[in-house]
Amino acid sequence: MLSGILVPSLRRNLLFKYLSSSPSLFSFSQRGRSTNCCKQRTASCFASSPRRLLSLSQLNMADRLKLYVKAGKDGNSLGDCPFCHYAMMVCRYAAVDVDLVFVDLANKSADFMTIGAKHGGTVPVLSHGDDVIAGSGQIAAYIQKMQPLPDLSCSCDALDAIKGVFPAFAAMMKNKDDSKRSELKEKLEGELGKANAWLSSNPGPYLCGEQLTLPDFELSSRLLHVTVAGKHYFDFSVPSGFPSLLAYQSSMFQETFFTSTRCDDSEIVHGWSKFFS
């Protein structure tokens, strides 16, 4: 699956292009050809941060990190997995350089399954030398050990306030019993209400105040599915009665680390379509 490895000269050229362009640029390259992040099977991500960019000496190909993420419906683009989105945002914000590998979950490659016994065939998976880390939370912890600054740890109870959002949304989306639709919608609204209440009572643009933390990556990646798939299949969106959550969503959805690592809306609609066929 890993094809078109960048030779050192191309990697230097790409890094030079990156440093001389807008700080919001999130470019990938394969065989020296720049392209959008959603169009590459294997991509080299030169992530930016207001703090620092990894130096060329840290881009040793033998030590590079591979982040396996869900492929889109064409097998060659970024898919809709919110857990992959979470992991990608952490890498992007922490300025940790990774090679993205898009995994067709219906036709998993031998390269991916080589480490299958260690992760059960799910994504996201981070491979770094002999280390194989599965799950967005575990990947985030690993990245934080590699790159302790910025500190993304959360010392407040924000996670408790948001942890029910995605399970409630998934239950509504997967439900086949029309008689339960209203009940499940109300449960989702209740979980969104908890997040809104937390944001209303805790000043600051982020869940833990002025500092971006891991729960922000978790909630924003889930809210993307609520807004896109919820709207498409149920004409559902975050209620207007939750102004703090709406303001938070609007702000997070404009962050570079979010926009540069998200998939197309069509992938999200496609990803949930199996429950509506």
Side-chain angles (χ1 to χ4, degrees):
M1 167 137 343
L2 290 175
S3 61
I5 297 297
L6 294 176
V7 297
S9 61
L10 287 178
R11 290 169 55 236
R12 286 195 296 271
N13 289 341
L14 179 57
L15 185 57
F16 176 79
K17 285 180 62 180
Y18 178 88
L19 293 173
S20 62
S21 63
S22 166
S24 65
L25 180 64
F26 188 61
S27 64
F28 297 92
S29 177
Q30 185 176 33
R31 298 184 182 181
R33 178 172 57 87
S34 295
T35 182
N36 182 274
C37 66
C38 293
K39 302 301 182 182
Q40 290 300 115
R41 180 181 300 277
T42 304
S44 176
C45 158
F46 289 90
S48 70
S49 167
R51 294 159 182 82
R52 73 188 186 97
L53 179 71
L54 295 185
S55 65
L56 281 172
S57 63
Q58 294 171 286
L59 299 178
N60 188 323
M61 296 302 293
D63 297 326
R64 292 187 67 81
L65 287 80
K66 299 178 187 176
L67 182 61
Y68 294 83
V69 297
K70 181 182 178 180
K73 52 184 177 288
D74 65 357
N76 298 305
S77 59
L78 181 62
D80 69 302
C81 177
F83 307 100
C84 295
H85 189 192
Y86 174 110
M88 291 172 65
M89 281 194 285
V90 172
C91 293
R92 164 71 160 137
Y93 187 76
V96 172
D97 187 52
V98 298
D99 288 332
L100 291 182
V101 184
F102 296 156
V103 180
D104 182 350
L105 296 179
N107 185 26
K108 298 169 185 174
S109 69
D111 176 67
F112 180 64
M113 293 312 298
T114 297
I115 56 174
K118 298 182 179 181
H119 59 74
T122 61
V123 289
V125 173
L126 183 70
S127 175
H128 183 211
D130 294 330
D131 294 331
V132 176
I133 305 94
S136 53
Q138 291 78 6
I139 290 172
Y142 187 86
I143 294 298
Q144 278 284 269
K145 289 181 180 179
M146 291 183 60
Q147 188 79 307
L149 293 176
D151 182 11
L152 298 174
S153 61
C154 175
S155 59
C156 63
D157 296 325
L159 192 58
D160 289 335
I162 68 167
K163 64 183 181 181
V165 171
F166 196 68
F169 173 70
M172 183 183 77
M173 296 295 287
K174 296 177 181 180
N175 173 56
K176 300 294 185 181
D177 186 347
D178 290 343
S179 66
K180 295 182 178 180
R181 184 173 297 175
S182 295
E183 175 188 351
L184 293 172
K185 178 181 177 182
E186 289 176 2
K187 286 184 177 180
L188 174 57
E189 290 177 342
E191 294 299 332
L192 292 170
K194 292 178 184 179
N196 181 75
W198 174 268
L199 288 163
S200 298
S201 60
N202 292 273
Y206 303 114
L207 287 167
C208 292
E210 295 294 330
Q211 177 64 42
L212 188 78
T213 58
L214 293 177
D216 292 299
F217 298 119
E218 178 170 338
L219 180 58
S220 60
S221 62
R222 277 57 163 177
L223 285 175
L224 180 61
H225 283 247
V226 172
T227 58
V228 175
K231 182 68 174 178
H232 181 85
Y233 290 105
F234 291 112
D235 195 27
F236 180 88
S237 57
V238 176
S240 59
F242 299 154
S244 296
L245 182 57
L246 285 170
Y248 171 85
Q249 174 180 283
S250 177
S251 176
M252 288 296 293
F253 283 13
Q254 295 179 58
E255 295 276 11
T256 300
F257 59 78
F258 180 93
T259 59
S260 60
T261 56
R262 58 158 295 173
C263 66
D264 292 336
D265 285 359
S266 62
E267 292 291 350
I268 296 176
V269 172
H270 174 75
W272 290 97
S273 64
K274 60 187 176 183
F275 299 108
F276 297 89
S277 57

